[in-house]
């Protein structure tokens, strides 16, 4: 199997000690996270090889992230470090259903300072794909780093996966975020969207109303996730649905990232590339959804993201 690359934020998720509003949390436990890094974690947990492209602060939290990545066998050689900003933190609160509320300490965060000059073409040789999200597409250097990475990924014929992973508190201008997501959809072979994001991105809650627009943007495989209510996969020619798996959720942090990481692992394992996505049968799509649902149903029964992902 070839290596998966991911670019974007790597940060510390501060997981609460009790299930209340964030202002009432009594204590937090630091866990390594950040959506692109979580995807690497899922891909690697299942037996793949992955590498993260980001920038961390030269601080204790940055060192913790590197140490944890090494523990989970995620490549760290493409990580830069800086004294110009601290490693980003995301404080999380969980309600009685393990749903999340976020408060970010990321202005500026070290990850935002990665620049296009930091991206090396050699990183993209002999890789399977590149995954990215929208959190790092704000008006700061990391956006240009994404542009360079996406240019190289396309040049090297890597499969490109995009999960908007909408985090409204990080953007003062929500219309900017919406426009940016639509703009970057054009780079994606795979687009993963959750039920909580559809209305913000497209203006209505019904994903089926937007499938043709998504395909017209160049996307070949659309993945729609709805937590315990299951998931759907759409190509131009086939659609598949999979029921969710009822479990007692402890922490849903990183569940969506685990889903797409699991999917990318199985696509890579089956030697499915961007040009093959249109040809996936309904049966194949359903099988992938079932495997990803099972993976996530296990991960949400444990705290944290990467540490909660089951291995093969």
């Amino acid at each position: 199997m070839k290596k998966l690359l991911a670019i974007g934020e790597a940060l510390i998720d501060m997981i609460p000690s009790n299930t209340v509003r964030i202002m009432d949390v009594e204590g937090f436990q630091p866990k390594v996270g950040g959506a692109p890094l979580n995807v690497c974690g899922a891909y690697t947990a299942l037996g793949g090889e992955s590498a993260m492209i980001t920038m961390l602060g030269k601080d204790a939290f940055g060192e913790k992230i590197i140490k944890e990545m090494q523990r989970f066998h995620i490549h760290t050689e493409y990580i830069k470090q800086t004294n110009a900003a601290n490693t980003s933190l995301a404080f999380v609160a969980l309600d009685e259903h393990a749903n999340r509320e976020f408060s970010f300490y990321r202005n500026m965060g070290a990850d935002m300072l990665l620049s296009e000059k930091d991206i090396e073409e050699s990183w993209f040789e002999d890789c399977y794909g590149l995954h990215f999200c929208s959190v790092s597409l704000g008006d700061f250097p990391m956006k240009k780093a994404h542009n360079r990475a996406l240019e190289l990924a396309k040049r090297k014929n890597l499969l490109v996966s995009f999960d908007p992973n909408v985090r409204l508190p990080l953007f003062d201008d929500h219309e900017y975020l919406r426009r940016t997501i639509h703009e970057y959809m054009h780079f994606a072979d795979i687009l993963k969207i959750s039920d909580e994001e559809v209305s913000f991105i497209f203006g209505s809650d019904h994903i089926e109303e937007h499938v043709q627009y998504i395909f017209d943007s160049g996307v070949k495989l659309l993945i729609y996730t709805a937590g315990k209510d299951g998931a759907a996969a759409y190509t131009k020619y086939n659609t598949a649905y999979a029921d969710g798996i009822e479990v007692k959720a402890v922490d849903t942090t990183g569940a969506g990232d685990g889903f797409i990481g699991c999917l990318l692992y199985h696509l890579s394992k089956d030697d499915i590339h961007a040009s093959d996505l249109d040809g996936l049968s309904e049966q194949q799509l359903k099988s992938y959804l079932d495997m990803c649902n099972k993976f996530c149903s296990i991960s949400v029964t444990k705290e944290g993201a990467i540490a909660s992902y089951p291995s093969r």
Side-chain angles (χ1 to χ4, degrees):
M1 287 180 64
K2 292 185 176 181
K3 185 191 303 179
L4 175 71
L5 303 176
I7 184 170
E9 73 280 5
L11 47 74
I12 296 292
D13 287 322
M14 303 297 286
I15 304 299
S17 59
N18 52 328
T19 55
V20 292
R21 295 179 306 165
I22 202 161
M23 62 184 294
D24 298 321
V25 173
E26 296 175 356
F28 294 90
Q29 182 177 5
K31 298 283 188 179
V32 171
L37 179 54
N38 293 341
V39 172
C40 286
Y43 191 90
T44 302
L46 289 168
E49 184 180 0
S50 69
M52 183 68 194
I53 302 171
T54 193
M55 182 171 281
L56 301 172
K58 289 185 177 179
D59 53 36
F61 286 128
E63 294 304 320
K64 178 179 176 64
I65 290 172
I66 291 173
K67 185 177 180 180
E68 285 290 283
M69 288 176 64
Q70 291 169 341
R71 181 163 78 92
F72 290 108
H73 308 292
I74 301 167
H75 287 259
T76 60
E77 59 264 35
Y78 306 155
I79 290 179
K80 309 291 184 178
Q81 289 186 272
T82 181
N83 285 315
N86 291 327
T87 301
S88 296
L89 307 178
F91 287 80
V92 186
L94 303 171
D95 66 18
E96 64 272 19
H97 303 294
N99 294 315
R100 301 156 298 163
E101 172 192 356
F102 291 96
S103 180
F104 292 91
Y105 283 70
R106 187 177 177 258
N107 189 22
M108 282 280 193
D111 56 289
M112 301 163 73
L113 299 180
L114 189 77
S115 75
E116 59 187 323
K117 295 179 181 178
D118 293 315
I119 306 299
E120 299 181 24
E121 184 171 354
S122 61
W123 298 349
F124 295 79
E125 298 291 345
D126 199 33
C127 292
Y128 174 67
L130 174 70
H131 179 77
F132 73 106
C133 303
S134 72
V135 165
S136 294
L137 296 178
D139 187 18
F140 40 78
M142 178 60 108
K143 183 177 182 179
K144 291 185 178 179
H146 274 66
N147 293 343
R148 176 62 173 159
L150 288 164
E151 173 196 342
L152 291 170
K154 288 297 186 181
R155 186 188 303 173
K156 305 293 183 181
N157 295 315
L158 274 61
L159 182 148
V160 175
S161 168
F162 179 30
D163 177 359
N165 196 46
V166 173
R167 295 290 180 263
L168 294 178
L170 289 173
F171 291 85
D172 294 329
D173 186 346
H174 292 176
E175 185 55 37
Y176 167 88
L177 174 59
R178 185 182 292 107
R179 289 196 312 269
T180 300
I181 290 170
H182 283 263
E183 175 187 351
Y184 279 77
M185 279 171 50
H186 294 278
F187 291 103
D189 300 304
I190 298 175
L191 179 69
K192 183 260 179 194
I193 295 179
S194 77
D195 56 336
E196 298 173 342
E197 298 169 327
V198 175
S199 180
F200 171 77
I201 296 173
F202 298 109
S204 80
D205 290 327
H206 304 293
I207 188 64
E208 290 82 4
E209 296 176 2
H210 313 294
V211 170
Q212 189 57 54
Y213 169 82
I214 291 168
F215 290 149
D216 289 344
S217 297
V219 172
K220 297 178 177 64
L221 172 61
L222 168 64
I223 299 295
Y224 171 76
T225 60
K228 63 181 177 59
D229 294 322
Y234 303 84
T235 69
K236 289 181 180 178
Y237 306 108
N238 287 299
T239 301
Y241 303 92
D243 293 332
I245 301 172
E246 288 281 353
V247 296
K248 176 61 176 176
V250 172
D251 182 3
T252 59
T253 304
D257 308 323
F259 192 104
I260 190 66
C262 179
L263 174 66
L264 291 170
Y265 168 79
H266 286 289
L267 290 173
S268 178
K269 182 172 176 284
D270 292 342
D271 201 29
I272 301 295
H273 297 273
S275 59
D276 304 313
L277 295 173
D278 282 340
L280 292 173
S281 68
E282 180 181 351
Q283 182 179 1
Q284 285 175 298
L285 294 171
K286 175 70 161 57
S287 176
Y288 288 135
L289 292 177
D290 285 337
M291 286 188 287
C292 295
N293 275 339
K294 183 177 180 180
F295 183 90
C296 292
S297 72
I298 296 171
S299 75
V300 299
T301 62
K302 304 175 185 178
E303 289 184 347
I306 297 174
S308 74
Y309 294 149
S311 57
R312 59 177 178 176

